[in-house]
PDB file of all heavy atoms in Angstrom:
ATOM      1  N   ALA A  38      17.322  -3.885  27.411  1.00 98.00           N
ATOM      2  CA  ALA A  38      17.205  -5.010  26.302  1.00 98.00           C
ATOM      3  C   ALA A  38      17.635  -4.508  25.039  1.00 98.00           C
ATOM      4  O   ALA A  38      18.351  -5.194  24.268  1.00 98.00           O
ATOM      5  CB  ALA A  38      15.752  -5.476  26.299  1.00 98.00           C
ATOM      6  N   LEU A  39      17.299  -3.287  24.574  1.00 98.00           N
ATOM      7  CA  LEU A  39      17.845  -2.655  23.420  1.00 98.00           C
ATOM      8  C   LEU A  39      19.254  -2.405  23.292  1.00 98.00           C
ATOM      9  O   LEU A  39      19.890  -2.798  22.392  1.00 98.00           O
ATOM     10  CB  LEU A  39      16.988  -1.299  23.200  1.00 98.00           C
ATOM     11  CG  LEU A  39      17.066  -0.783  21.627  1.00 98.00           C
ATOM     12  CD1 LEU A  39      16.175  -1.613  20.806  1.00 98.00           C
ATOM     13  CD2 LEU A  39      16.424   0.677  21.645  1.00 98.00           C
ATOM     14  N   LYS A  40      19.908  -2.078  24.510  1.00 98.00           N
ATOM     15  CA  LYS A  40      21.270  -1.823  24.615  1.00 98.00           C
ATOM     16  C   LYS A  40      21.975  -3.114  24.332  1.00 98.00           C
ATOM     17  O   LYS A  40      22.997  -3.252  23.662  1.00 98.00           O
ATOM     18  CB  LYS A  40      21.545  -1.157  25.910  1.00 98.00           C
ATOM     19  CG  LYS A  40      23.089  -1.061  26.191  1.00 98.00           C
ATOM     20  CD  LYS A  40      23.364  -0.500  27.638  1.00 98.00           C
ATOM     21  CE  LYS A  40      24.814  -0.322  27.902  1.00 98.00           C
ATOM     22  NZ  LYS A  40      25.509  -1.734  28.062  1.00 98.00           N
ATOM     23  N   GLU A  41      21.523  -4.249  25.043  1.00 97.00           N
ATOM     24  CA  GLU A  41      22.228  -5.471  25.144  1.00 97.00           C
ATOM     25  C   GLU A  41      22.094  -6.090  23.652  1.00 97.00           C
ATOM     26  O   GLU A  41      23.011  -6.723  23.167  1.00 97.00           O
ATOM     27  CB  GLU A  41      21.578  -6.393  26.124  1.00 97.00           C
ATOM     28  CG  GLU A  41      21.899  -5.903  27.564  1.00 97.00           C
ATOM     29  CD  GLU A  41      20.963  -6.550  28.656  1.00 97.00           C
ATOM     30  OE1 GLU A  41      20.253  -7.524  28.285  1.00 97.00           O
ATOM     31  OE2 GLU A  41      21.077  -6.115  29.743  1.00 97.00           O
ATOM     32  N   ARG A  42      20.862  -6.078  23.087  1.00 97.00           N
ATOM     33  CA  ARG A  42      20.683  -6.764  21.816  1.00 97.00           C
ATOM     34  C   ARG A  42      21.713  -6.150  20.685  1.00 97.00           C
ATOM     35  O   ARG A  42      22.038  -6.828  19.823  1.00 97.00           O
ATOM     36  CB  ARG A  42      19.257  -6.608  21.374  1.00 97.00           C
ATOM     37  CG  ARG A  42      18.343  -7.543  21.866  1.00 97.00           C
ATOM     38  CD  ARG A  42      16.861  -7.253  21.657  1.00 97.00           C
ATOM     39  NE  ARG A  42      16.528  -6.980  20.159  1.00 97.00           N
ATOM     40  CZ  ARG A  42      15.539  -7.508  19.516  1.00 97.00           C
ATOM     41  NH1 ARG A  42      14.990  -8.498  20.074  1.00 97.00           N
ATOM     42  NH2 ARG A  42      15.359  -7.216  18.300  1.00 97.00           N
ATOM     43  N   ASN A  43      22.047  -4.888  20.808  1.00 97.00           N
ATOM     44  CA  ASN A  43      22.802  -4.248  19.836  1.00 97.00           C
ATOM     45  C   ASN A  43      24.200  -3.793  20.382  1.00 97.00           C
ATOM     46  O   ASN A  43      24.930  -3.238  19.515  1.00 97.00           O
ATOM     47  CB  ASN A  43      22.065  -2.976  19.501  1.00 97.00           C
ATOM     48  CG  ASN A  43      20.697  -3.134  18.727  1.00 97.00           C
ATOM     49  OD1 ASN A  43      20.590  -3.526  17.625  1.00 97.00           O
ATOM     50  ND2 ASN A  43      19.632  -3.080  19.510  1.00 97.00           N
ATOM     51  N   ASN A  44      24.623  -4.499  21.502  1.00 96.00           N
ATOM     52  CA  ASN A  44      25.986  -4.329  21.866  1.00 96.00           C
ATOM     53  C   ASN A  44      26.430  -2.788  21.997  1.00 96.00           C
ATOM     54  O   ASN A  44      27.531  -2.471  21.499  1.00 96.00           O
ATOM     55  CB  ASN A  44      26.972  -5.113  21.145  1.00 96.00           C
ATOM     56  CG  ASN A  44      26.722  -6.642  21.174  1.00 96.00           C
ATOM     57  OD1 ASN A  44      26.470  -7.138  22.325  1.00 96.00           O
ATOM     58  ND2 ASN A  44      26.595  -7.179  20.030  1.00 96.00           N
ATOM     59  N   LEU A  45      25.595  -1.964  22.592  1.00 96.00           N
ATOM     60  CA  LEU A  45      25.791  -0.471  22.481  1.00 96.00           C
ATOM     61  C   LEU A  45      26.693  -0.203  23.746  1.00 96.00           C
ATOM     62  O   LEU A  45      26.438  -0.807  24.907  1.00 96.00           O
ATOM     63  CB  LEU A  45      24.393   0.220  22.443  1.00 96.00           C
ATOM     64  CG  LEU A  45      23.630   0.033  21.397  1.00 96.00           C
ATOM     65  CD1 LEU A  45      22.317   0.867  21.493  1.00 96.00           C
ATOM     66  CD2 LEU A  45      24.206   0.427  20.030  1.00 96.00           C
ATOM     67  N   ASP A  46      27.450   0.795  23.563  1.00 93.00           N
ATOM     68  CA  ASP A  46      28.137   1.422  24.625  1.00 93.00           C
ATOM     69  C   ASP A  46      27.056   2.192  25.470  1.00 93.00           C
ATOM     70  O   ASP A  46      26.099   2.646  24.913  1.00 93.00           O
ATOM     71  CB  ASP A  46      29.187   2.469  24.253  1.00 93.00           C
ATOM     72  CG  ASP A  46      30.405   1.833  23.642  1.00 93.00           C
ATOM     73  OD1 ASP A  46      30.590   0.710  23.830  1.00 93.00           O
ATOM     74  OD2 ASP A  46      31.029   2.456  22.745  1.00 93.00           O
ATOM     75  N   GLY A  47      27.295   2.330  26.750  1.00 88.00           N
ATOM     76  CA  GLY A  47      26.290   3.157  27.554  1.00 88.00           C
ATOM     77  C   GLY A  47      25.932   4.567  27.115  1.00 88.00           C
ATOM     78  O   GLY A  47      24.872   5.040  27.398  1.00 88.00           O
ATOM     79  N   HIS A  48      27.010   5.213  26.354  1.00 93.00           N
ATOM     80  CA  HIS A  48      26.796   6.453  25.892  1.00 93.00           C
ATOM     81  C   HIS A  48      26.583   6.650  24.474  1.00 93.00           C
ATOM     82  O   HIS A  48      26.946   7.744  23.885  1.00 93.00           O
ATOM     83  CB  HIS A  48      28.117   7.309  26.234  1.00 93.00           C
ATOM     84  CG  HIS A  48      29.346   6.739  25.880  1.00 93.00           C
ATOM     85  ND1 HIS A  48      30.002   5.685  26.494  1.00 93.00           N
ATOM     86  CD2 HIS A  48      29.973   7.059  24.696  1.00 93.00           C
ATOM     87  CE1 HIS A  48      31.104   5.358  25.734  1.00 93.00           C
ATOM     88  NE2 HIS A  48      31.130   6.268  24.664  1.00 93.00           N
ATOM     89  N   ALA A  49      26.150   5.520  23.774  1.00 96.00           N
ATOM     90  CA  ALA A  49      26.074   5.515  22.393  1.00 96.00           C
ATOM     91  C   ALA A  49      25.063   6.364  21.665  1.00 96.00           C
ATOM     92  O   ALA A  49      25.201   6.773  20.530  1.00 96.00           O
ATOM     93  CB  ALA A  49      25.808   3.998  21.904  1.00 96.00           C
ATOM     94  N   VAL A  50      23.933   6.836  22.397  1.00 98.00           N
ATOM     95  CA  VAL A  50      22.995   7.573  21.845  1.00 98.00           C
ATOM     96  C   VAL A  50      22.968   8.967  22.364  1.00 98.00           C
ATOM     97  O   VAL A  50      23.520   9.221  23.454  1.00 98.00           O
ATOM     98  CB  VAL A  50      21.481   6.951  21.967  1.00 98.00           C
ATOM     99  CG1 VAL A  50      21.396   5.523  21.372  1.00 98.00           C
ATOM    100  CG2 VAL A  50      21.206   6.850  23.471  1.00 98.00           C
ATOM    101  N   GLU A  51      22.342   9.912  21.671  1.00 98.00           N
ATOM    102  CA  GLU A  51      22.378  11.355  22.000  1.00 98.00           C
ATOM    103  C   GLU A  51      21.268  11.552  23.133  1.00 98.00           C
ATOM    104  O   GLU A  51      21.597  12.392  23.999  1.00 98.00           O
ATOM    105  CB  GLU A  51      22.043  12.161  20.793  1.00 98.00           C
ATOM    106  CG  GLU A  51      22.086  13.688  20.960  1.00 98.00           C
ATOM    107  CD  GLU A  51      23.400  14.192  21.085  1.00 98.00           C
ATOM    108  OE1 GLU A  51      24.416  13.514  20.562  1.00 98.00           O
ATOM    109  OE2 GLU A  51      23.648  15.365  21.420  1.00 98.00           O
TER     110      GLU A  51
END
Side-chain angles (χ1 to χ4, degrees):
L39 196 67
K40 175 183 179 293
E41 292 165 10
R42 276 170 51 124
N43 295 279
N44 297 311
L45 300 178
D46 294 332
H48 58 277
V50 299
E51 183 77 16

